[in-house]
């Protein structure tokens, strides 16, 4: 492996935005949890060489026009507009916690478009590919094992054209994309970026599961004894938490983000 060195910073871009209208549709929505997650990234980055955190604290567009997860593909454009020099950029979710001893993932990319495989419901993955392919990409599909999680992506300026194409494609197909998001519920940005990267032909690098630990319940790692945090020094994404009649059965995102942050960063 050839190590690529740069004097420019690597940037983690996080969206820490209070969206009042989200409270009407999500009972567990609490923007304070984003600040807790972001604080874990900031503490982790402070211990690394050449890593900064950039907080985007406002929407670029109303979420009725573009979901917040799609807006993050303006990341390089935003950094350029702010005069921030960078080598690589990571976009990731901030309703998550990073372990203070998580390896520096920027050093593992080989400067390729770097992601992790989606872990969880393969039915959900296959329906994502099938329906977005059917309605937006002329019936074309790609192998399910290529499908990656949109909640952790690392890229550099060589990949800027992919995000520019994605945003252009979004505005040209906005109504159909919003319809797909609202009717099939198989991802806001994830199927779209997967198709864009796959169709671009750029080489991807897949990092292990610990860099985007989704579906912790399905993997039987989410326990009050903090098994996941004791055994994996990674990034914990608290999605797909079980509920019944609107009531969390194992704690909601707010519970697990705060519990994990306190366990890893406040226990001493």
């Amino acid at each position: 492996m050839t190590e690529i060195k740069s004097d420019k910073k690597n940037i983690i871009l996080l969206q820490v935005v209070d969206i009042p209208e989200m409270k009407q549709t999500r009972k567990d929505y609490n923007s304070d949890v984003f600040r807790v997650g972001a604080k874990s990234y900031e503490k982790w980055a402070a211990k690394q060489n050449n890593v900064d955190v950039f907080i985007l604290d406002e929407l670029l567009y109303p979420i009725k026009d573009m979901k917040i997860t799609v807006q993050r593909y303006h990341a390089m454009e935003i950094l350029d507009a702010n005069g921030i020099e960078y080598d690589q950029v990571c976009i990731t979710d901030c309703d998550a916690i990073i372990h203070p001893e998580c390896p520096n993932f920027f050093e593992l990319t080989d400067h390729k478009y770097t992601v992790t495989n989606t872990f969880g419901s393969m039915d959900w993955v296959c329906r994502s590919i099938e329906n977005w392919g059917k309605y937006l990409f002329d019936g074309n599909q790609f192998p399910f094992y290529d499908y990656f999680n949109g909640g952790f992506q690392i890229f550099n300026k060589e990949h800027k054209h992919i995000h520019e194409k994605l945003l252009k494609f979004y505005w040209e197909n906005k109504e159909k994309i919003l319809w797909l998001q609202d009717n099939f519920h198989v991802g806001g940005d994830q199927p779209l970026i997967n198709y864009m990267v796959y169709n671009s032909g750029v080489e991807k690098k897949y990092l292990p599961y610990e860099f985007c630990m989704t579906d912790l319940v399905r993997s039987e790692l989410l326990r009050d004894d903090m098994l996941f945090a004791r055994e994996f020094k990674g990034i914990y994404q608290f999605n797909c938490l079980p509920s019944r009649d609107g009531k969390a059965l194992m704690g909601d995102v707010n519970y697990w983000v705060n519990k994990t942050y306190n366990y890893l960063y406040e226990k001493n």
Side-chain angles (χ1 to χ4, degrees):
M1 180 179 71
T2 302
E3 183 179 1
I4 303 174
K5 295 185 177 181
S6 173
D7 293 331
K8 297 177 182 177
K9 289 277 190 179
N10 295 307
I11 304 293
I12 300 173
L13 185 139
L14 301 172
Q15 295 166 294
V16 182
V17 184
D18 185 29
I19 309 174
E21 54 265 48
M22 288 288 289
K23 297 176 182 178
Q24 301 173 10
T25 57
R26 283 183 51 181
K27 292 182 179 180
D28 65 338
Y29 179 82
N30 180 356
S31 58
D32 289 341
V33 78
F34 303 144
R35 296 177 181 86
V36 176
K39 189 160 57 171
S40 74
Y41 283 104
E42 289 172 333
K43 289 192 173 185
W44 176 85
K47 295 167 61 177
Q48 308 303 315
N49 293 321
N50 233 21
V51 179
D52 277 347
V53 175
F54 183 93
I55 301 292
L56 183 61
D57 60 2
E58 59 184 23
L59 292 172
L60 303 176
Y61 308 98
I63 59 170
K64 66 180 179 62
D65 294 323
M66 178 182 279
K67 292 188 183 300
I68 189 169
T69 50
V70 182
Q71 297 186 32
R72 59 188 171 191
Y73 296 101
H74 286 281
M76 288 183 277
E77 177 187 337
I78 291 168
L79 295 174
D80 290 341
N82 282 274
I84 298 173
E85 292 292 326
Y86 58 91
D87 180 23
Q88 301 178 91
V89 182
C90 174
I91 53 175
T92 185
D93 298 328
C94 58
D95 54 349
I97 295 292
I98 184 171
H99 193 287
E101 297 177 18
C102 179
N104 188 332
F105 36 79
F106 288 110
E107 298 174 354
L108 306 176
T109 67
D110 298 335
H111 271 60
K112 298 174 183 175
Y113 203 105
T114 299
V115 292
T116 64
N117 281 112
T118 294
F119 178 88
S121 171
M122 296 314 297
D123 170 71
W124 189 92
V125 168
C126 291
R127 285 189 292 110
S128 299
I129 298 170
E130 176 186 0
N131 287 300
W132 284 65
K134 176 181 178 180
Y135 289 100
L136 277 175
F137 294 97
D138 299 321
N140 295 321
Q141 297 186 17
F142 58 88
F144 70 88
Y145 48 80
D146 277 340
Y147 196 88
F148 58 84
N149 195 302
F152 177 84
Q153 302 174 57
I154 304 173
F155 42 82
N156 57 67
K157 289 187 178 182
E158 291 183 4
H159 306 122
K160 191 173 184 179
H161 66 98
I162 298 173
H163 293 181
E164 290 174 340
K165 185 175 181 180
L166 180 150
L167 293 166
K168 182 175 184 292
F169 184 87
Y170 179 88
W171 290 115
E172 291 173 349
N173 297 275
K174 172 190 164 187
E175 298 306 322
K176 187 175 288 187
I177 288 172
L178 291 174
W179 179 84
L180 279 165
Q181 291 169 342
D182 291 340
N183 285 274
F184 289 100
H185 305 287
V186 286
D189 68 308
Q190 198 161 266
L192 187 55
I193 187 58
N194 266 273
Y195 266 101
M196 288 295 165
V197 172
Y198 185 81
N199 290 338
S200 73
V202 300
E203 190 174 1
K204 298 189 294 293
K205 180 165 184 178
Y206 290 87
L207 295 186
Y209 171 63
E210 57 259 41
F211 291 98
C212 190
M213 295 181 66
T214 57
D215 253 341
L216 287 165
V217 175
R218 199 186 306 269
S219 64
E220 300 183 350
L221 286 169
L222 193 69
R223 303 186 339 196
D224 275 310
D225 67 358
M226 307 303 288
L227 174 67
F228 62 93
R230 288 189 285 110
E231 297 298 328
F232 294 89
K233 296 178 180 178
I235 300 174
Y236 317 112
Q237 305 267 359
F238 301 105
N239 66 322
C240 298
L241 299 174
S243 64
R244 182 179 296 122
D245 299 326
K247 183 178 180 180
L249 300 178
M250 294 179 60
D252 60 12
V253 175
N254 304 318
Y255 171 82
W256 284 106
V257 165
N258 281 284
K259 181 180 177 68
T260 307
Y261 181 86
N262 291 334
Y263 175 78
L264 292 173
Y265 289 94
E266 302 290 347
K267 62 182 178 180
N268 295 324

